[in-house]
Amino acid sequence: MASTSSTSGPGEAPPAELPERIRTAIRSAGLSQRELAERIGMDQTALSKALRGTRRLRDQEVAAIAKACGVSTGYLLDGTGPAPVLPPEAGRDRAEAVSAEERREQILQAATVLIARRGYHNVRVSDIARYCGTSTATVHYHFPSKEATLHAALEYYAQRFRSRLDVEFEQATSARDRLRRLIEVQLPLTTDDVDEWSVWIQFWNQAMLEPQLRQAQRRVYSGWYEVVLGLLRDCQAEGLAPDTDVEALAERFTAMVDGLAIQILAHSTGMHPDRMRSLLLSAFEPHLDLT
């Protein structure tokens, strides 16, 4: 599971910390996402997707956001230039200004980042509330339990992953090309990628201990497995690997993806993204040549 917020192609802003810097700029300006969208003439849903990392921002959109929030484009794109300052009262002002839907989105974004980077058991509801400038009661209103925030974080990243795949698959020229792109999306290359993997691994760990989490874990994992299996069947439809047991191959591949990513995040071995890519490409040999 991995990332496509903004990328560094022509006319696009770079990935990684861009959404987080934009959220900081919004807070410093005392705006809600809705107010920012209105100021820059951008669809609110499109802005929300950009802040979730599932939509690329154009250069002119980044420039408009910077101007509306009173920061430089350099700060948003790569952290150069003065960082915005969040006044102590900005959180209270914002709490009164945003809609219930926007508030839930802010809480969800805070929960996903904190769980990914601090660990599920190290995050308190008060931490989530403080991060997005609201009260613990408001957090409990949208997410009645901490377990509910973990559920929501998994769903958030599952949707983000699927959106990234859709973008990649639209540009693919064949089933084999889609497989290559699928592998690339799995690699923990950016901060957002690592956050996504962190939440997935933590959810898996909690599902071992808490049976009530297993249904959601199975559903998300099954959806991922079906994507891989469907791609392998598409390859066969194109005349590739006609005698291969694609179900067994899909099972081996998905197991490898999880195991290799865990090694990278845990720093338990010398595994790194380039090596992970190479091993995943070789997993399809001799059935398919993806090199």
Side-chain angles (χ1 to χ4, degrees), residues 4 10 71 80 88 92-93 249 266:
T4 95
V71 298
T80 58
R92 290 197 298 274
D93 293 342
L249 183 55

Side-chain angles (χ1 to χ4, degrees), residues 28-45:
S28 73
L31 298 172
S32 68
Q33 290 183 28
R34 173 179 50 79
E35 289 169 333
L36 175 62
E38 290 175 354
R39 285 194 184 189
I40 65 176
M42 186 176 181
D43 179 74
Q44 185 180 336
T45 301

Side-chain angles (χ1 to χ4, degrees), residues 155-169:
E155 296 290 349
Y156 170 87
Y157 279 123
Q159 179 184 357
R160 178 175 175 272
F161 175 73
R162 185 68 233 197
S163 296
R164 289 200 324 278
L165 279 185
D166 289 344
V167 170
E168 291 295 326
F169 287 176

Side-chain angles (χ1 to χ4, degrees), residues 48-120:
S48 293
K49 288 182 178 179
L51 295 181
R52 288 200 302 269
T54 58
R55 179 190 180 277
R56 293 180 174 94
L57 281 168
R58 302 179 182 90
D59 285 347
Q60 57 266 36
E61 291 171 334
V62 175
I65 291 170
K67 182 178 180 180
C69 294
V71 298
S72 68
T73 55
Y75 165 76
L76 294 181
L77 294 176
D78 55 25
T80 58
V85 178
L86 181 63
E89 66 275 7
R92 290 197 298 274
D93 293 342
R94 199 170 73 262
E96 297 170 357
V98 300
S99 67
E101 182 180 352
E102 289 173 319
R103 175 57 64 198
R104 186 184 188 282
E105 183 75 12
Q106 289 174 351
I107 293 169
L108 174 57
Q109 290 171 354
T112 55
V113 169
L114 292 175
I115 289 172
R117 300 181 186 180
R118 296 186 188 178
Y120 175 65

Side-chain angles (χ1 to χ4, degrees), residues 228-262:
V228 177
L229 182 60
L231 279 181
L232 292 174
R233 286 174 173 161
D234 289 345
C235 285
Q236 286 192 324
E238 293 181 3
L240 303 171
D243 301 321
T244 299
D245 182 346
V246 291
E247 292 187 2
L249 183 55
E251 289 172 355
R252 289 197 299 274
F253 174 76
T254 51
M256 281 185 67
V257 169
D258 290 323
L260 294 171
I262 289 171

